[in-house]
Amino acid sequence: MPLESTNLFNALREKFPPEVVKQRPGKGGQKLDYIAIDATLNRLNDVLGIDWSTELLQLEVYPKEAGSWSVVIAIKLTALGKEAVGVGAGEDNDPDNAVKTALAEAIKKAGHQFGIGLELWDEAWREEIAASRGSVTVNINSEATGQLRRSRAR
């Protein structure tokens, strides 16, 4: 990879500041960290300018019970001579919101292949974020046991 591309790739991979990391409720009362779509799009725009693009590969919209809509979107993100595919799903009573959610997830998933937001899978970094919030986090044990362990941020 040429030096300029390497520098751009490294800039895409930079960790987001703690204030950009948001939380949402997860299963079993867990709080899950995530980076919103605007942070991902801003990172792409700030680092690459107009030298990136997405292409819609698949869009499926399914009506569900009680007026709900389920959407699956697959996109291809192209930048730095590389292509990455991301798939996202969304469900909402408003089909527009379901599409927006699915598209945002697809872009973020493709962005992960460029290193954007990968720190969310780094246990030590999640501990730092939890400590900055003064909260308790639930992390997957890195051993193959798959057991959960609780750690209290100090």
Side-chain angles (χ1 to χ4, degrees):
M1 190 181 295
L3 182 57
E4 181 179 317
S5 294
T6 301
N7 290 340
L8 292 172
F9 188 73
N10 288 338
L12 289 173
R13 293 177 45 96
E14 284 184 22
K15 292 179 180 178
F16 284 99
E19 61 272 12
V20 173
V21 181
K22 306 201 182 293
Q23 286 192 315
R24 66 176 177 81
K27 293 180 182 178
Q30 293 183 44
K31 289 184 179 179
L32 303 175
D33 291 333
Y34 73 97
I35 295 170
I37 186 61
D38 62 317
T40 298
L41 293 173
N42 285 334
R43 176 67 55 87
L44 287 164
N45 287 331
D46 291 347
V47 174
L48 301 175
I50 62 170
D51 292 331
W52 67 278
S53 65
T54 59
E55 176 184 340
L56 180 65
L57 301 177
Q58 179 181 357
L59 169 62
E60 297 178 14
V61 180
Y62 305 101
K64 299 194 66 153
E65 69 283 341
S68 180
W69 296 87
S70 183
V71 175
V72 177
I73 291 180
I75 60 104
K76 177 172 59 175
L77 173 61
T78 303
L80 301 174
K82 176 180 173 175
E83 295 177 340
V85 173
V87 177
E91 191 167 317
D92 200 284
N93 290 334
D94 179 350
D96 185 52
N97 285 338
V99 169
K100 288 177 188 175
T101 298
L103 180 58
E105 289 303 310
I107 292 170
K108 290 192 294 184
K109 294 280 191 318
H112 293 162
Q113 295 173 56
F114 286 89
I116 300 172
L118 287 182
E119 61 270 20
L120 291 174
W121 284 268
D122 179 341
E123 187 173 335
W125 185 81
R126 287 192 317 267
E127 294 291 337
E128 283 180 42
I129 296 298
S132 73
R133 290 184 183 122
S135 62
V136 173
T137 61
V138 176
N139 296 310
I140 302 287
N141 189 336
S142 61
E143 297 174 9
T145 62
Q147 296 175 347
L148 293 177
R149 68 176 170 84
R150 293 195 175 266
S151 60
R152 178 167 297 278
R154 304 207 193 281

